Amino acid sequence: MNPQRFVPFFIGRIFSTLGRQMLSVAVGWDLYERTSSFLVLGLVGLAQVTPVVLLALPMGHAVDRFGAPRTGALSCALLSGVGVGFAVATYTHAPIGVSFALLVVNGVGMAIHAPSVSSIVPRLVAREERARANAIMSTGFELASIGGPGLAGVLLAAAKTSVVVYATHAVFVLSFAAVLGVFAARGIGASEITRVEKKATPSSTSTNTSTNTSTNTSTSASAGAATRSRSWDDMVAGVKFVFSSRLLLPAITVDLFAVLSIGR
C-alpha cells in the first residue's frame, strides 16, 4: 500500500463525510425550526435522492470517460458551494424554495461524487491489498458518519445558528477537492479508459503540411469515437451484469427495501 497516495485520500474522504453528515443535520434542524413541518423534512430526502437516481448511469459513464479524480474534485467543489449557498440563504433568511433548490444541486453533486470516489480506491492499492484498503475505508466512513452529526450538534448548541455548520461543511469538503485535484493533475487514480483516450490523442506538435494535419485530426476523431463506443458498451454491459447476477441483484434489492423501510 502506497501511503503517499492512500493516506491523503483516506483523510480527505473522512473530512468530506464529516462535512456531508453535518450538512444533513443542519438542513433538517434549520427547516424544522422555520416550518415545524414533518412533511418538509420528508421532502428534503426526496429532493436529494431524485437526482441521484436519475443521474446514476450517466454519471457513472462520465466518471469512466473523464477520470474519477477529475469528476470527484468537481463534485466536491459543487458540494462545497452548496454549503456556502446554505450559509448565505440562512443568514439572509431566503425563502424555503431556495433551500430545496440547493438540495437538488446537492443531489446532483452526490450523483457525481459517489461513483467517482468509490472507483478510486482500487486504483490506489495493489490487488492483494484491496480487501484491507476497503476495510480501512469502510471503518473511516462509518466513524465519520457517526461523528458528523455529533459535531454538527455541538456547533449548533454553541453557535445557535446553522451558518457555522454550513461553513465548516464547505471547508471540509473543499479539502477533499484539493486532494482529488492533485490526483487529477498527476494522473493518479485515472481509469484505463481515460488513459487510453489520452494516449490515443496525438501531441500538439506543429506540422508543415496539410496532409499531416488532416491525418492527425482524423486519427484523433476516430480514437475519440472508439473511446465513446467503448464507454457506452461498458455501461450497457454493467447494467446487464447487475440484472443477470443471481447474487448482486437480490443483494441490491434487499438493501433498497431496507433503506426505504428504516433508512440508514
Side-chain angles (χ1 to χ4, degrees):
M1 187 179 297
N2 188 344
Q4 293 182 343
R5 295 182 177 184
F6 183 79
V7 173
F9 180 83
F10 175 69
I11 295 175
R13 191 181 183 191
I14 285 181
F15 274 101
S16 174
T17 304
L18 280 171
R20 289 186 287 109
Q21 294 297 327
M22 292 170 65
L23 179 76
S24 297
V25 171
V27 169
W29 181 83
D30 223 357
L31 292 179
Y32 188 75
E33 281 287 307
R34 296 175 62 182
T35 65
S36 300
S37 171
F38 291 110
L39 177 61
V40 170
L41 293 182
L43 293 176
V44 167
L46 180 63
Q48 294 181 91
V49 76
T50 301
V52 174
V53 173
L54 295 178
L55 298 176
L57 289 179
M59 289 304 103
H61 175 73
V63 170
D64 284 339
R65 179 75 192 282
F66 299 106
R70 187 182 302 174
T71 56
L74 174 64
S75 68
C76 285
L78 183 61
L79 293 172
S80 180
V82 168
V84 174
F86 270 115
V88 173
T90 300
Y91 185 77
T92 58
H93 303 285
I96 298 296
V98 174
S99 296
F100 277 98
L102 289 170
L103 286 172
V104 172
V105 176
N106 188 69
V108 173
M110 285 305 304
I112 308 172
H113 184 79
S116 299
V117 173
S118 62
S119 63
I120 292 177
V121 177
R123 299 171 186 142
L124 296 181
V125 298
R127 182 181 296 272
E128 60 273 12
E129 295 176 332
R130 288 178 183 175
R132 179 187 172 200
N134 284 327
I136 294 173
M137 294 299 300
S138 297
T139 301
F141 176 81
E142 295 299 335
L143 290 175
S145 296
I146 295 171
L151 181 57
V154 170
L155 291 177
L156 286 172
K160 307 299 182 184
T161 177
S162 57
V163 174
V164 177
V165 180
Y166 295 138
T168 304
H169 158 269
V171 173
F172 280 6
V173 178
L174 196 60
S175 66
F176 194 29
V179 173
L180 295 177
V182 172
F183 279 18
R186 297 182 178 179
I188 301 173
S191 67
E192 292 300 324
I193 294 176
T194 307
R195 289 172 183 157
V196 168
E197 186 176 30
K198 287 182 178 179
K199 290 180 180 179
T201 303
S203 61
S204 57
T205 304
S206 61
T207 58
N208 296 325
T209 64
S210 59
T211 303
N212 289 339
T213 302
S214 176
T215 302
N216 286 343
T217 303
S218 176
T219 302
S220 176
S222 61
T227 301
R228 287 191 293 270
S229 177
R230 178 184 171 185
S231 300
W232 175 258
D233 290 343
D234 287 344
M235 183 174 68
V236 173
V239 174
K240 290 181 178 179
F241 173 76
V242 170
F243 282 94
S244 63
S245 174
R246 296 183 178 180
L247 177 62
L248 191 57
L249 183 59
I252 293 176
T253 304
V254 170
D255 183 68
L256 172 65
F257 281 102
V259 171
L260 293 176
S261 301
I262 61 176
R264 82 180 193 187

